[in-house]
């Protein structure tokens, strides 16, 4: 009887791990694209993303933790400027850096997240005038190892990322339309 129970537990564990790592393999590269149409001027919309001093106006992370400490290092609005954060009582730590700018068209930011986990996602923003609206597209990319991807699958991290990115784009729209 004990042997049968151990076999059932072992089979269930192997099945769980097999399914988990299969699903995790699909999360080794996460790409999330969100788009928002903003009723504002191109320069206003572009500058809300370009100048990191504006980030707290539309950051979903800042909305969730308005007591976080933030700082900007470098010349704001230029390649190499960094937005540092330390939030959630020291449990969230990292920075993002602007690595590419094409005026009124495109901004790329590389992130270095140190806590609560280590990750290096990128955010790319493209801007396009369509009629009297500005279409802003955010492309989020994250590459992870299989073990990290397993835990992202286990805890449903991709859905949380999608919600957070969607909220950020909603807040960007609000900030630009004020």
């Amino acid at each position: 009887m004990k042997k049968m129970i151990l076999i059932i537990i072992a089979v269930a564990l192997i099945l769980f791990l097999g399914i988990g790592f299969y699903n995790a393999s699909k999360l080794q590269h996460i790409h999330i694209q969100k788009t928002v149409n903003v009723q504002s001027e191109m320069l206003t919309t572009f500058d809300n993303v370009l100048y990191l001093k504006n980030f707290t106006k539309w950051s979903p992370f800042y909305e969730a933790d308005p007591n976080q400490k933030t700082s900007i290092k470098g010349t704001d609005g230029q390649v190499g400027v960094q937005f540092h954060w330390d939030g959630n009582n020291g449990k969230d730590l990292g920075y993002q850096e602007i690595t590419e700018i094409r005026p009124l068209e495109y901004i790329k930011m590389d992130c270095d997240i140190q806590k609560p986990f280590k990750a290096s996602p990128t955010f790319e923003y493209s801007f396009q005038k369509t009629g009297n609206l500005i279409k802003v597209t955010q492309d989020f990319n994250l590459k992870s190892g299989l073990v990290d991807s397993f835990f992202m699958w286990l805890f449903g991290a991709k859905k949380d990322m999608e919600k957070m990115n969607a909220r950020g784009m909603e807040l960007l729209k609000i900030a630009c339309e004020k």
Side-chain angles (χ1 to χ4, degrees):
M1 182 71 168
K2 285 184 182 180
K3 186 176 180 181
M4 181 63 113
I5 291 172
L6 289 176
I7 290 172
I8 291 171
I9 291 171
V11 169
L13 182 61
I14 290 169
L15 187 61
F16 172 75
L17 290 174
I19 291 169
F21 281 109
Y22 172 76
N23 287 321
S25 69
K26 297 176 188 176
L27 294 177
Q28 286 187 282
H29 178 235
I30 294 175
H31 175 247
I32 299 170
Q33 185 176 74
K34 299 293 178 191
T35 300
V36 68
N37 290 305
V38 179
Q39 192 166 0
S40 182
E41 297 297 319
M42 175 65 86
L43 185 60
T44 300
T45 305
F46 188 82
D47 283 355
N48 265 287
V49 178
L50 177 65
Y51 290 99
L52 299 181
K53 67 181 180 186
N54 295 321
F55 191 59
T56 56
K57 294 178 191 175
W58 59 274
S59 166
F61 304 102
Y62 193 79
E63 179 184 54
D65 179 12
N67 295 319
Q68 67 182 270
K69 297 172 190 157
T70 63
S71 64
I72 296 172
K73 296 182 179 176
T75 304
D76 202 2
Q78 300 293 314
V79 169
V81 65
Q82 297 176 344
F83 180 90
H84 290 255
W85 69 86
D86 183 349
N88 198 12
N89 296 317
K91 295 177 186 169
D92 295 329
L93 183 67
Y95 70 90
Q96 60 194 45
E97 178 178 346
I98 293 179
T99 56
E100 188 177 342
I101 302 167
R102 290 194 305 264
L104 303 179
E105 291 179 12
Y106 175 84
I107 299 169
K108 182 178 181 186
M109 297 182 197
D110 293 345
C111 289
D112 182 4
I113 300 170
Q114 295 142 20
K115 290 182 183 179
F117 51 84
K118 292 191 180 280
S120 299
T122 61
F123 289 88
E124 297 175 80
Y125 297 88
S126 58
F127 304 82
Q128 181 181 4
K129 187 159 181 62
T130 55
N132 62 343
L133 299 173
I134 307 302
K135 178 181 173 183
V136 183
T137 302
Q138 176 196 69
D139 284 289
F140 169 86
N141 288 289
L142 175 63
K143 292 183 181 177
S144 302
L146 189 58
V147 173
D148 289 338
S149 297
F150 177 83
F151 285 103
M152 286 192 290
W153 167 76
L154 187 62
F155 294 108
K158 184 176 180 185
K159 285 184 182 178
D160 292 339
M161 290 178 201
E162 288 174 337
K163 287 179 188 175
M164 196 63 88
N165 288 6
R167 181 63 182 151
M169 294 301 280
E170 290 170 13
L171 291 171
L172 176 62
K173 177 180 173 80
I174 292 166
C176 292
E177 291 180 350
K178 283 187 175 181

